[in-house]
Amino acid sequence: MKIHKGDTVLVLQGKDKGKKAEVVRAIPDRDRVVLEGVNVAKRHAKPTRATMQGGVIDKFMPVHVSSVALVCKSCDQPTRVGHRIVDGEKVRVCRKCGAEL
Ligand SMILES: [Zn+2]
């Protein structure tokens, strides 16, 4: 997958369109990512022995990778990801400014 945990992405679709968020979890098997504060589902939870607390809990639901764009750390623009071979290793590069991601 092109997007990894810790990346900053721009949301392109859905109710959080236009938001920038950090990837908290990548799910390569399903081509999905979980983003901090995006696609929030409110879960009404009963107090349990584990949490000791009930009430409404924010849960971040996964979104499909095609509905987000990686934001380049160098030029701060949402970009498509290119690849380049550096010293025999494949690195991700920004298609806009050419910086390694
Ligand atoms: Zn860039």
Side-chain angles (χ1 to χ4, degrees):
M1 221 164 51
K2 292 181 298 187
I3 292 173
H4 304 165
K5 184 181 173 184
D7 287 344
T8 301
V9 296
L10 179 72
V11 181
L12 304 174
Q13 277 166 41
K15 62 180 177 176
D16 295 301
K17 191 173 172 176
K19 260 192 198 173
K20 275 185 188 171
E22 190 185 324
V23 177
V24 291
R25 194 155 70 92
I27 312 167
D29 291 351
R30 292 167 57 212
D31 284 335
R32 279 166 201 275
V33 287
V34 178
L35 308 175
E36 178 76 33
V38 169
N39 203 17
V40 178
K42 299 281 182 190
R43 289 292 164 85
H44 297 268
K46 276 186 186 164
T48 65
R49 235 175 264 265
T51 61
M52 299 292 278
Q53 209 177 8
V56 182
I57 291 169
D58 286 346
K59 192 168 162 45
F60 307 141
M61 303 305 286
V63 298
H64 199 264
V65 286
S66 67
S67 60
V68 301
L70 187 64
V71 174
C72 173
K73 290 183 187 82
S74 294
C75 62
D76 203 32
Q77 295 289 314
T79 181
R80 294 198 301 134
V81 179
H83 288 103
R84 190 192 291 156
I85 308 293
V86 176
D87 295 334
E89 282 198 36
K90 204 163 155 188
V91 295
R92 297 184 305 166
V93 294
C94 171
R95 286 264 176 102
K96 288 194 173 145
C97 69
E100 285 181 24
L101 298 170

